[in-house]
Amino acid sequence: MKNSSRALLSVVLLAGFPVLVLVIVAAIVALEIYAVQDRPATGLRLAIFAVPAVYVLLQALFTIERARDDDVSGLPLTPEAQPELWAVVRELADAVGTRPPDEIYLVPEVNAAVQEQTRWLGLRVKRRRMFIGAQLFAGLRADQLRSVLGHELGHYSNRDTRFGGATYRGRQAIGRVVSGLTNTGGLGRYLHPLLNGYAKLYFTVSMRVSRDQELAADAAAARVAGTTAATSALREIEALAVLWRFFLTTYATMGWRAGYVPARLAEGYRQLLADEHRAEELAEVRRNPPQHEVSRYDSHPATPERIAVLEAAPRVPVLPGGARPAAAILRNAEAVLDAAMLTGLSDEARKKQRTDWQTLVDVSMRNEFFENAGKIAHGRSISSLLDALDAGRLEELADPAVKVPAGAGPRARRELLGASAHARLSTVVTSALAGSGAARWQLSWSGPAELLLAEPFATSLTPALDAAVAGNTGALRALLAVTNPVLS
């Protein structure tokens, strides 16, 4: 079946959904009226099941054509504030044969998208919007960004989005009906197979159309930016997405428990991208994009498939001047990217203090050590813990999970408990040093934060800890007493 035929069929199926719903609602209402008139008691019992089912069905009808004007997030980029970006978008729109969007938003996602607000199942367009991920500006070259924007505008030129808004809302409506009927009891249970089958048919047809549209938009991207830019952009976006997830879980949230979030997300993400130790990891993702499992209902083909289709097509040369960073297109790029990324913060995150990256890592590590030291010491002083070591009671410092077999001699006990006791004593002492200002942590984009100790701890602490676990705490006591008498 040709793409145009499938597109027409998807619209017909979407238009047929309200008809099907109304027919079902009319049948339920007629059955209820008949039951109430003939047997009022039976009618009342039937209403218990009929009313929830009718409510779910009718609610779905209003979601297909409901305007979504308020569902816009991100940072608006006006032509006055970002003239070069708008010039590029307008140039690309002309190249693919469509008019440019009415609005552009910078969003905190590794993605780009277009949206048309439509009426009458997409026959009437109210407004066009384009959404561009801040991470794309942070990590792509200018030619790769042109490819991404060309892809999205390609949807416009193919009139993909004309029915896309209605189709998307239709998918939501149909899905809401099918899932909602599972909770409506007896009558919903009988209606569920009918609407579930209709939903599967609709999703199958619409997804085939969507996948063809994606490949057509890829071809448009290659025409306006070059084949190499288009394929490398697909690979790079996969790498940016992997690194963004790592950035969020490892760096952006490191100060969460201490009550802090980074003030400049874009700065940190770009520094992580530029770190040479991450280069090989990203290169591997580019060479072998992740093989995401693709459902039969997914709207996008797998990235390797999209790349293969582009590489099999006639090659389009890349335009000159595309090697500069994509962020160069923006005015005040660093501030704009940071502002956009901050729009993605949750309400809880907005309540936390924002600070620079170096302070963030030091505060977060300090808080982590304070919490762990408290769990280890259980309110005891360092002096008390050292007394236990002098007496050979390593179990008071070692992890309770480490068990010593009955009858084990002193040497065996020390070997079994020593490593754990050493690590936990180091945590307690380091926490105390951090509280006094003698220890701090330095941010590293290549790996874990680096602990920095003031002298004489930098050279003398490890030998003193070794001796303390071996039963001689004198050196550690003297070190702490001389440098900071409060700690002893």
Side-chain angles (χ1 to χ4, degrees), residues 247-262 348-349 352-357 359-368 371:
F247 173 76
L248 288 179
T249 57
T250 306
Y251 288 95
T253 55
M254 69 169 68
W256 189 268
R257 291 172 62 86
Y260 289 84
V261 293
E348 185 178 359
K352 296 184 182 294
Q353 298 184 63
R354 296 205 288 268
T355 188
D356 63 274
W357 281 102
T359 301
L360 182 74
V361 69
D362 190 59
V363 168
S364 65
M365 294 302 297
R366 186 188 303 263
N367 182 74
E368 180 181 333
E371 288 185 351

Side-chain angles (χ1 to χ4, degrees), residues 166-187:
T167 300
Y168 175 74
R169 290 192 292 276
R171 284 166 56 83
Q172 288 187 316
I174 293 174
R176 189 176 295 113
V177 171
V178 173
S179 61
L181 286 176
T182 61
N183 303 317
T184 57
L187 185 57

Side-chain angles (χ1 to χ4, degrees), residues 201-285:
L201 175 61
Y202 177 77
F203 291 159
T204 299
V205 173
S206 64
M207 286 307 95
R208 289 287 301 276
V209 173
S210 296
R211 291 184 186 184
D212 287 343
Q213 291 169 345
E214 289 300 323
L215 295 177
D218 283 342
R223 287 197 305 272
V224 299
T227 301
T228 300
T231 56
S232 65
L234 290 172
R235 296 180 187 276
E236 194 66 30
I237 287 173
E238 291 286 354
L240 293 178
V242 169
L243 197 71
W244 177 250
R245 289 191 293 269
F246 176 75
F247 173 76
L248 288 179
T249 57
T250 306
Y251 288 95
T253 55
M254 69 169 68
W256 189 268
R257 291 172 62 86
Y260 289 84
V261 293
R264 303 186 67 181
L265 283 167
E267 177 189 61
Y269 184 57
R270 294 179 78 175
Q271 289 190 34
L272 183 62
L273 274 170
D275 185 78
E276 60 181 13
H277 290 86
R278 306 291 179 190
E280 181 54 37
E281 300 171 14
L282 295 178
E284 178 58 30
V285 177

Side-chain angles (χ1 to χ4, degrees), residues 456-467:
F457 294 99
T459 54
S460 303
L461 180 58
T462 298
L465 289 171
D466 293 341

Side-chain angles (χ1 to χ4, degrees), residues 38-91:
D38 189 58
R39 296 182 180 180
T42 301
L44 290 176
R45 288 195 295 271
L46 179 61
I48 296 175
F49 302 101
V51 171
V54 169
Y55 174 78
V56 171
L57 292 168
L58 291 178
Q59 186 183 46
L61 292 180
F62 294 99
T63 64
I64 298 177
E65 282 295 323
R66 182 181 299 162
R68 305 180 69 84
D69 296 341
D70 297 330
D71 294 349
V72 178
S73 60
L75 183 71
L77 301 179
T78 64
E80 296 74 21
Q82 299 296 338
E84 185 174 353
L85 172 63
W86 276 89
V88 170
V89 170
R90 286 165 177 157
E91 174 201 337

Side-chain angles (χ1 to χ4, degrees), residues 310-322:
L310 283 170
E311 291 179 338
R315 194 167 193 81
V316 180
V318 176
L319 298 175

Side-chain angles (χ1 to χ4, degrees), residues 8-54:
L8 177 61
L9 179 57
S10 68
V11 173
V12 170
L13 287 173
L14 179 58
F17 174 70
V19 176
L20 176 62
V21 170
L22 289 175
V23 168
I24 294 174
V25 169
I28 294 174
V29 171
L31 179 62
E32 178 64 25
I33 292 174
Y34 174 79
V36 169
Q37 291 176 343
D38 189 58
R39 296 182 180 180
T42 301
L44 290 176
R45 288 195 295 271
L46 179 61
I48 296 175
F49 302 101
V51 171
V54 169

